Structures are given as C-alpha cells and as structure tokens.
Amino acid sequence: MTTATSGRCIHILPEFLANQIAAGEVVERPASVVKELVENSLDAGATSIEVTVEGGGVRLVRVADDGCGMGPDDAVAAFERHATSKIASAEDLERVATLGFRGEALPSIAAVSRCTLTTALPEAVGGTRVEIEAGRLVASKPVGCPPGTVVEIRDLFFNTPARRKFLRAPATEIAQIAQTVTSLALAHEAVAFKLVSSGRSVIAVPAAESLAERIAGLFGRQMAEALLPVAGEAEGLSVAGMASPPTVSRSSRDHLHLVLNGRPFRDRRFAFAIAKAYEGMLPPGRHPVAVIRLAADPATVDVNVHPTKQEVRFRKPGDVFDLLVGSVRAALEGVRPGPVSAPPPPRPHVSEAERRERVEEAIETFLARARPPGEARPADHPYRKAPLEQTLSIGRPQEPLPELLDIGRYVGQLYRTHLCFETEAGLVLIDQHAAHERVLYELLAGEREAESVATQELLVPLTLEVAPPEAAVLQERGALLDEVGLGLEPFGGQTLVVKRVPALWGDEGVEDKVRSLVEALVELDGGAPEDEAREKMLVEAACQAALKARRAMDEVEARSLVEALAACRSPLVCPHGRPVVLMLERAEMERRFQVK
C-alpha cells in the first residue's frame, strides 16, 4: 500500500536495503563485527573462542567457538531480521541477561559482506554450512564439521564502498579489535581467547580461575600484582574488580574497563566517577588502570539504549556513581599518592602549517623586540642553522642567533622552571623544558636525516609488559620506534624486551620514557602518513629526554642551554608549537610603573 503526499509515495523498502540501513547502525567497523560475533559465541556457552583477522578485519574476520552450535533450520533462520533465541516476550526485554539479543547483528553483517556460517550440534553426526552474499542466501548444505560454530566474514563493506573508505588504516582497526577482545576477555575469564592478525598472535590467554589471573595473562604478571582489589555493595548493586595505585598510570583512558553483568560498556559519567576517586592523587593527563565489574538486577538496567549495545542506562545512576567513587577510594586508602605535580597538561594538536606560521611569527616578534631601537635586522640574518652535534656541552656556534647569545645578565630561575635574563630591551624569560626540547629535537632530527641516530645499549635489557592493543600497533608500526633509536623485540605474550634506547635519554627513568613513546605511537592514527608519524615520534623522544620543570640550574648550565638553543633552526618555538622565549619589554615596564 502506498500513499501520495506532496507528490511523493511512501513505500516499503526492499529487504536488502533495510538490512544495509540496519548494518549502518550495528556495524561501524571491523571491531563491531568481532564484538557481535564473540558475544554470540559467549551466549552459546563457548569455553574457547578464536578470532582471526586479515587486512585489519576488512579482508577477513573469522570467529570460531566450541559452543552449542545450531541445527540446519536454525542456521538459515539466524540470518532473518529479528530472529533470536533469546527473547520470546515483552517481559523478557525487562530482564535481558544475554549479550546479544536484538536479532539484527548477523543479518546486518551479512548484508555488507560475504558471509559463511558453519555449525553443528554436539550430538549431531554432521553440520550445516550457510553462505550469504550481500544479504542474499547463496547456499545451504550439510557438511562435516566439529560441534560449535565458525563464522567467516569476508570483504566487509564490499557493496557499500562509501562506508569502506571511512575505515582507518589496518593498524588502527587491529588496535580497535584487540581492545574489543580484551574487554570481552576481562569480562569472561573462564573462557579461553585467542586473537590472530595476519598470522601473528596478538592475544592468547587460556581460561582463568580469577580476574587477577586473566589480567596477568593480558597485561603481564607485574601489572596484576600491582593492582588493588576493589569491592563494594549497595542496595541491589555490587562492585568488584581491580584498580591501579596512583603510582601506576597511563596517558589515555583506554585502560579503564567497565563491565555490567558480563557486558563491557562505556559511560562517561562512571568513568568520571573512577577519576574522581583518584582526585588529588594523579597528575593532569594521567589515568588509572582499572577493571571494574558491576552486578545489578537486569530489571533495573536498560541495555537496549544503543544499537551496538555499548551503552547502558541505570534506573538510579546516582547510586551507581556514589558506589563506584566510594569503592575505589576505599581501595586506595593508605596508598601513597603518585607525583601529582609531574607532567604538564596535554598540549593541543597543532598542524604542521600552523606550527611553521607560529615559528616565523615568534622569530620576527622576538627579533624586533630584542634589538636596540633604531637598529634594523639584516635581511640575511642567519637564524636557521644546521642541527647540533652535541647539547649543553656545545661550543659557541659560528653563526648563532646573536640576540640569544648576547642575552645579558643572568638573574636566576623563576619557579625553577623559567630562566630569567636582563637585557637592554627588557626582561627575557626562557622555558627550560621547552628550550631543551627544541635542542634535543633538532639534534635527533639531524641524526635521523643522516640515518645515524646515536643509541646506547642497555647493560641489563628491560622487559616491558604492554596491553594487547599496544602490542597490535607495535606489530604494525614498530619500525617507527626503531628509527628514533628505540630497540624493541617480542619476548612472548604481551612482553617486550628493550635492548637499546636513544643515547640522549641517559640512564634515568628509561621505562617511563619507553612507555610514553609507545603510548604516543598507539594514540597516533594508523592512517597518518609515514612522515607525520615519524615526526610525532621524534618530538615525543625529545620531550621525554628534555629537562623537566622544577629542575634547579646554575648559571653555567643556563647559559650553555641558551647557547645551544641559539644554534637551532627554530629557537623560539618548541617542537609542539609552544613559545620558548618571552620578553617583558623595558618600555612597557616603565609605562606600568609610570616612569617619566
């Protein structure tokens, strides 16, 4: 039946088009496919699940389990929209206890891929294979196969190229898949999980008897031993899990895992509750590592808020918030806080073009203010020089920026953070961290350009345990770290061995520096051009080695740093685009003091 309205007809969409629309809600990227299929495996009672992906999950996603399997009729019916074995009445929607129940995931995935399902019941002699292409049944036939289910998704989004071109690079997609499998593995430690990407193992954990054992399998024994047990109860709610002490933190929130009744979920409000529990214990930009499990009566929770089932709605969210804050704070009682005043807040992203513009503007502004009145700057003033061969012990450059070399009387340090100099033109302030960062960046960039980055071998190799998403990215783009002098080698599972580091790093805090560089690589979009990614690693490596705020410096060190800064190509802006040098002009000070 159609109805004409304003010259247009209302009509029923073809089934294949309706399935594609549903796929747009459920299947955002390959990680969405993995999530839906693994959840189906868990609901089927699987004790072992293996995920295999190729091409970042675009060429292939294969999920094999040893669950209850399906008979021939159910195998075909599973691809019908709203087909499910988990919901039978409206009352069931009020108490959803399974992970997958919408009855849209499998047909939606099959609508945008070439899908093969092979399944068998435990007591059956043989099984069934169903082939679907772009939502249409191609074949259904009996086959010999072991009990359980194997779903293969090939050529994801092959018939919706507009969707496919919005996917990220394989490294980014694999990291998302690893994060998804990690979250599900943390929620179901009694199940063995394996994730293989392009023939390489990313995750391989056997069934565990406790959450601590599962955390050890995913993040390493050292991390599991460092975490603190979390527990708490309120009316109709309970909290259990593990959280890091303030001395263990990360630069992103990706290491916070929330689970409700076995279902991983995301919620900014409750993530903020965890952060509030650490208030005053972590420095800006640092986040805890935590696995927090909530148990609640299914009737008090709506898990059908979002098509991907990654969000939930509680009947009394305020009670959940208070329980989380109180439970985590109780776990942290008596624990020594971490270095609250440590690193500066995260810097905003600055494009290469904007950064160059800032550099030019800062140089022109400083030169105009630093020269005496009436003295013009020569048109060929050599303020861009070759990278340094040394730092802090460097001799006077042949053609440095004279305004920095002849900077005047050293007044001292301000807040042990800024170097103060008195000049005829005014008071000059130099950010010691930003200045040293600029010097080290140009030194490292010069060595990288000459393909001779100086490194130092560690007398005792450092073992480093990383999370599965970090391991996945390192497998894909680890060569970028090698280019800046960081030598990492796999050591089994999630453990890496660090054998060499950039020579300019020195011997202190090597593990923290390595972790920061790895986290910077993970945060980088996998689709970023190689030059941009390499630049990011150079900047981060220099930042980790640079002098920190609150570090006392005498006049000899201060002048050596300024001398090295004067020889840089862009001495007045740090590699992140922040100013290195600021001036309070003498004329401005006299005006403010009303000097006539």
Side-chain angles (χ1 to χ4, degrees), residues 366 403-405 407-408 410 412-423 427-439 547 553 557-563 565-566 571-573 578-584:
F366 178 74
E403 287 83 356
L404 284 177
L405 275 184
I407 201 168
Y410 179 63
Q413 267 183 300
L414 182 64
Y415 308 123
R416 289 193 176 186
T417 300
H418 298 89
L419 310 178
C420 301
F421 293 87
E422 175 192 304
T423 72
L427 183 66
V428 176
L429 298 177
I430 297 178
D431 184 320
Q432 65 191 45
H433 172 75
H436 197 208
E437 192 176 51
R438 165 53 66 181
V439 171
L547 294 167
M553 294 182 69
E557 289 179 311
R559 288 193 179 277
S560 296
L561 176 57
V562 174
E563 188 172 295
L565 180 66
L572 304 179
V573 181
R578 293 193 303 119
V580 173
V581 183
L582 296 177
M583 174 178 284
L584 181 57

Side-chain angles (χ1 to χ4, degrees), residues 474-522:
L474 286 170
Q475 285 185 357
E476 293 290 324
R477 311 200 81 180
L480 288 171
L481 299 182
D482 186 67
E483 290 188 28
V484 298
L486 185 60
L488 299 176
E489 295 181 8
F491 194 63
Q494 307 305 125
T495 304
L496 303 172
V497 175
V498 184
K499 293 192 172 181
R500 67 180 183 280
V501 296
L504 54 80
W505 273 11
D507 300 322
E508 296 183 3
V510 171
E511 181 175 348
D512 290 340
K513 293 171 182 176
V514 173
R515 283 198 180 278
S516 294
L517 204 60
V518 170
E519 288 174 1
L521 180 63
V522 173

Side-chain angles (χ1 to χ4, degrees), residues 9 16 37 76-77 148 171 228 237 385 484 536:
C9 292
F16 79 92
L37 297 181
V76 175
L228 306 169
L237 288 169
K385 295 297 138 198
V484 298
K536 171 76 172 177

Side-chain angles (χ1 to χ4, degrees), residues 201-268:
S201 177
V202 178
I203 296 175
V205 288
E209 296 183 358
S210 66
L211 176 59
E213 186 180 338
R214 174 49 52 90
I215 290 174
L218 290 170
F219 304 134
R221 185 67 58 184
Q222 184 179 1
M223 174 63 75
E225 292 175 352
L227 299 186
L228 306 169
V230 176
E233 288 187 7
E235 185 179 355
L237 288 169
S238 67
V239 169
M242 306 190 78
S244 62
T247 51
V248 178
S249 63
R250 297 290 182 263
S251 63
S252 75
R253 295 184 179 88
D254 292 342
H255 300 272
L256 171 60
H257 299 269
L258 296 172
V259 180
L260 169 66
N261 296 343
R263 178 192 303 278
F265 72 100
R266 295 192 303 243
D267 192 294
R268 290 184 179 181

